[in-house]
Amino acid sequence: RYAVLVLLIGLAIAALAGLQLDRSNRQERQARFQALSHRVAGELKTRIGIYETGLRGARGAVIAAGGESVTRERFREYSQSRDYKREFPGVRGYGYIHHVRRADESAFLEIARRDGTPAFAIHQIAPHGNDRFVIRYIEPENSNREAIGLDIASEANRRSAAIHAARSGMPTLTEPITLVQNASKPHHGFLLLLPIYRTGAATGTPEQRWQSTFGCSLAPISIDEVLHDFDLAESDYSLALWDSDATPSKVPFYVTRDYQQPPASGLTDLQPITAYGQRWELGIKARPSF
């Protein structure tokens, strides 16, 4: 009987030790996965943040080249001095948008056509009767040609971002959109905008800033290209991104192929991401390789 009692005590101790080890392993897995989730969210925030540097550079180039009288050649010279792919991985390029009052549209078109683009025309997503915000230059031109001449004020999302940028003075990101130069990826794109004001003009209030705005610098962004070198196909996690304020909610604008699969060991996490006026959520799930 004594031997049986010793055996039972030993088994109980072993079972308790096993439970403690299992709990410890689960806690360690959770801590490791939480650290991974924070790292991925941080890398995404950092990547998006670097595009502002290029945006400010493009704005400075426009101002230095004469502001409203900037020419296509001067903007191209500036762009050729930058290595966009190396400096700003994931961005499709940088451009200049001109704020065109309705009364000035004919004069604007005449100037634009004399500036090395005799066939320059304004095209719209939907007709409207308000001021135009026309993409006049964008580099590299070959991969963004469809965007040249686009009046971004002809679509509500883009127009709202342009007006907010002008009135706030801050870099502003659109909600997810379909880029005209990347139409095969619906709702995978964004425009990041930074207002450009007339030198010496009053900019103390939102209305003064609006009246002083002659354009914006522009960065078209594709989320697929932003995440291209994250090597998601071979990583230990799957992910999805959605706009927190979108209706309907929880519809991702980006999702990896296997995100809908159950997470390995039940490991999943949500991370909030704030990006230039937009609020996103990053959903991340462990793959078996984790």
Side-chain angles (χ1 to χ4, degrees):
R1 252 187 292 182
Y2 178 75
V4 172
L5 180 61
V6 170
L7 176 60
L8 291 174
I9 291 171
L11 289 173
I13 292 172
L16 181 60
L19 288 172
Q20 289 175 332
L21 179 61
D22 180 64
R23 185 181 302 112
S24 175
N25 285 341
R26 281 189 282 111
Q27 289 173 343
E28 182 184 351
R29 279 198 304 270
Q30 186 63 49
R32 285 176 50 231
F33 187 72
Q34 197 75 25
L36 172 66
S37 177
H38 279 286
R39 178 176 62 79
V40 173
E43 288 176 357
L44 181 56
K45 290 176 187 176
T46 299
R47 172 62 57 84
I48 294 170
I50 67 172
Y51 302 144
E52 182 183 344
T53 303
L55 207 62
R56 292 188 179 277
R59 179 171 74 170
V62 170
I63 294 171
E68 293 176 88
S69 59
V70 60
T71 65
R72 182 168 177 261
E73 188 59 33
R74 290 291 300 277
F75 191 82
R76 176 164 290 175
E77 286 174 1
Y78 164 76
S79 295
Q80 289 174 344
S81 74
R82 308 301 298 253
D83 185 346
Y84 289 150
K85 287 188 176 181
R86 182 183 62 80
E87 295 179 80
F88 312 107
V91 77
R92 290 190 66 90
Y94 285 94
Y96 165 60
I97 292 172
H98 195 76
H99 180 195
V100 184
R101 312 284 179 181
R102 285 295 309 277
D104 300 331
E105 187 172 330
S106 296
F108 165 77
L109 283 170
E110 184 179 345
I111 292 169
R113 289 166 181 167
R114 289 203 309 262
D115 187 24
T117 51
F120 188 93
I122 296 174
H123 54 101
Q124 299 180 324
I125 295 171
H128 70 104
N130 301 309
D131 290 0
R132 281 62 164 119
F133 277 84
V134 181
I135 299 177
R136 185 165 174 187
Y137 311 126
I138 189 164
E139 296 288 342
E141 188 174 293
N142 286 341
S143 57
N144 291 289
R145 194 176 302 278
E146 296 88 345
I148 296 172
L150 176 66
D151 169 22
I152 71 165
S154 64
E155 186 272 318
N157 187 341
R158 293 166 170 87
R159 179 171 64 250
S160 176
I163 293 172
H164 182 272
R167 295 181 69 87
S168 70
M170 301 297 293
T172 301
L173 192 68
T174 65
E175 296 173 11
I177 61 172
T178 302
L179 295 172
V180 295
Q181 63 268 53
N182 195 24
S184 64
K185 294 286 187 178
H187 304 293
H188 278 220
F190 306 86
L191 299 182
L192 183 59
L193 307 170
L194 185 67
I196 311 177
Y197 302 119
R198 294 181 183 87
T199 302
T203 56
T205 68
E207 184 59 28
Q208 286 175 334
R209 287 191 286 272
W210 170 252
Q211 294 300 329
S212 301
T213 300
F214 71 81
C216 297
S217 54
L218 158 77
I221 299 166
S222 166
I223 193 64
D224 301 84
E225 294 168 19
V226 171
L227 295 171
H228 176 71
D229 60 357
F230 277 47
D231 197 21
L232 296 175
E234 303 298 328
S235 66
D236 291 335
Y237 60 88
S238 59
L239 65 79
L241 283 162
W242 54 86
D243 182 345
S244 302
D245 300 322
T247 302
S249 61
K250 304 298 184 183
V251 176
F253 59 81
Y254 181 88
V255 61
T256 53
R257 175 178 45 81
D258 57 345
Y259 182 77
Q260 302 304 331
Q261 299 297 318
S265 300
L267 293 169
T268 184
D269 193 32
L270 290 175
Q271 290 286 332
I273 295 177
T274 301
Y276 300 112
Q278 296 299 315
R279 297 190 305 159
W280 300 347
E281 281 189 342
L282 167 69
I284 183 167
K285 293 181 179 180
R287 286 175 169 152
S289 59
F290 179 79

